[in-house]
Amino acid sequence: MNQQIIFNNDFDYCPQKQAVRFSCLVSGLKVCCYIKVDTDHSAAALQQIKQDAFIWEDRVELAIDADEINSDGEIWL
């Protein structure tokens, strides 16, 4: 699939979903991406995910290609 994906640099921890969250634009639509993390180490997980951003962006691209965006406009990794 040939589509434009723009990643925002908006990593944060979402306590309601107990996951690190970031977003991207896919064909003009905002998609929220979540990575489930241990709540006891959320700050460390957030820092590590920020450092590994390119790896996670690659995984999001694969998920988009596999049409894994759920009905809420989310991708869970």
Side-chain angles (χ1 to χ4, degrees):
M1 182 180 283
N2 188 7
Q3 59 184 326
Q4 175 119 6
I5 303 170
I6 300 170
F7 289 95
N8 301 313
N9 191 19
D10 59 352
F11 292 89
D12 68 348
Y13 178 72
C14 178
Q16 295 84 6
K17 298 200 180 210
Q18 298 179 344
V20 172
R21 168 181 54 199
F22 62 100
S23 66
C24 62
L25 297 174
V26 180
S27 300
L29 300 174
K30 185 176 181 178
V31 175
C32 289
C33 307
Y34 293 94
I35 304 164
K36 192 81 168 161
V37 297
D38 180 2
T39 57
D40 293 336
H41 301 97
S42 60
L46 175 60
Q47 284 304 111
Q48 187 62 52
I49 290 168
K50 282 181 178 181
Q51 290 176 359
D52 298 336
F54 290 117
I55 294 169
W56 292 107
E57 289 172 2
D58 287 344
R59 290 186 183 178
V60 168
E61 288 180 21
L62 292 172
I64 290 168
D65 287 344
D67 199 27
E68 294 178 3
I69 301 172
N70 69 21
S71 60
D72 293 327
E74 302 170 340
I75 293 175
W76 283 85
L77 304 170

